[in-house]
Amino acid sequence: MSAARAIGLVLGVAADGALGDPRRRPPVTAFRRLTPGRGALVAGAAVVGGVLMERAGRGRPLVQASATAVTTWAVLGAAGLAVQGTELARDLEECRFEPARTTLSELDPRVADGLGAIALSRASVETLAENTSDAVVAPLVWGALAGVPGLAGARAVSLLRRARVGRRGHWAIDRLDELVHLVPTRVAAALTVLAAPVVGGSAGGAWRAWRRDTIAHPSPNAGRVEAAFAGALEVRVGGRTVYPHGVAELPVLGVGRNPDAGHVTRAVELSRVVGWLAAVTSVVLAVVAGLRRRSR
């Protein structure tokens, strides 16, 4: 069964790269229309459905591999993130700020109105880092450990938290999100350190920023991957960020210059490499987890 799950993950990642993400109907749109209670029910339903699919595949490797592959493709956001990141970089390079603000708003809950070149570039690097963790690494890690329920649950919780930022009932969702992403964010930061040299970045800078700057961050997860990306690209992110519910004074992450369009392009490439490493890591985790279950 571990082999079937690993094969399903590989096929799902390949499908995401080949077929891309359904941009016209992103799942987060549906979550934005739900109350916290209903949204939690939808997230719970996703996990229950995943459990039923996982049980249906027990003793049937082809069924399990197929269910894992389809679910991986459905929840993984790597291809869509690369497309939107490339759009951001191109618009910033051409000083087309309004389209850049629109794309940023699709990826991040912050208020993008009025952001200039530097602020948009900073926000783009931050959201590419955060979405790499939330939409790529987290589903793959939980998919390797828990199969279809892990894939569906991790992505559902992440989408629900993004949709409910600043709204009533978001506190409980935030705590659940922090728990779900406690391990994946650290995996994503570690993979960013490994991936940095591939895009001409600094592995040492990524490591130092991750270990040094996130201590001051109020969240146990947020900022870790952002700091690692900033360190890898040798830029600064963080600081004052405006959300619909208010202004957050976040710690500065990384050292060096302010990011520009070129750094956003490199952040897209870094996200791709981290995604590939996450896919390999998920396959290894799936095989190891399966072997441990067999030995019991």
Side-chain angles (χ1 to χ4, degrees):
M1 299 303 286
S2 59
R5 182 178 293 174
I7 291 170
L9 288 168
V10 171
L11 292 175
V13 171
D16 178 65
L19 303 177
D21 195 42
R23 293 283 304 278
R24 297 296 179 185
R25 46 188 179 88
V28 73
T29 302
F31 277 86
R32 285 176 179 157
R33 298 173 181 171
L34 298 173
T35 64
R38 290 183 180 178
L41 288 176
V42 171
V47 175
V48 171
V51 170
L52 294 176
M53 293 176 67
E54 193 75 12
R55 287 186 175 180
R58 285 182 180 175
R60 304 163 70 184
L62 182 59
V63 173
Q64 186 184 45
S66 299
T68 303
V70 170
T71 307
T72 301
W73 170 78
V75 305
L76 204 61
L81 182 60
V83 170
Q84 289 176 290
T86 301
E87 290 176 358
L88 277 169
R90 182 179 63 248
D91 288 338
L92 288 170
E93 184 68 34
E94 298 173 358
C95 297
R96 300 175 66 243
F97 297 145
E98 195 55 42
R101 295 184 189 111
T102 299
T103 302
L104 179 64
S105 296
E106 294 174 359
L107 292 169
D108 194 283
R110 79 183 68 201
V111 176
D113 296 342
L115 296 183
I118 294 176
L120 280 170
S121 298
R122 174 177 71 85
S124 296
V125 172
E126 291 174 2
T127 195
L128 283 167
E130 186 175 5
N131 276 281
T132 299
S133 177
D134 288 358
V136 183
V137 178
L140 289 173
V141 169
W142 280 109
L145 298 177
V148 176
L151 284 162
R155 191 71 175 115
V157 169
S158 178
L159 288 173
L160 182 59
R161 191 263 301 171
R162 292 289 183 93
R164 305 308 304 176
V165 168
R167 301 186 186 182
R168 190 177 66 178
H170 73 94
W171 182 89
I173 295 168
D174 288 347
R175 301 293 81 76
L176 177 60
D177 180 80
E178 288 176 355
L179 180 62
V180 168
H181 290 92
L182 196 65
V183 173
T185 51
R186 287 151 179 80
V187 172
L191 294 179
T192 301
V193 174
L194 294 177
V198 180
V199 298
S202 171
W207 170 260
R208 287 189 294 272
W210 170 25
R211 305 309 300 170
R212 177 192 64 227
D213 297 339
T214 52
I215 295 175
H217 206 284
S219 169
N221 298 327
R224 294 182 183 275
V225 184
E226 293 176 17
F229 264 61
L233 301 174
E234 299 178 290
V235 295
R236 290 178 296 160
V237 299
R240 187 176 187 270
T241 305
V242 180
Y243 293 99
H245 60 282
V247 177
E249 296 292 345
L250 300 175
V252 174
L253 309 174
V255 295
R257 57 179 292 188
N258 289 317
D260 56 26
H263 293 108
V264 177
T265 298
R266 291 176 64 201
V268 174
E269 295 305 316
L270 182 58
S271 174
R272 282 197 179 104
V273 178
V274 171
W276 296 335
L277 292 176
V280 174
T281 301
S282 69
V283 170
V284 173
L285 284 174
V287 172
V288 170
L291 292 175
R292 290 192 64 180
R293 283 193 295 269
R294 287 183 183 182
S295 63
R296 290 178 182 175

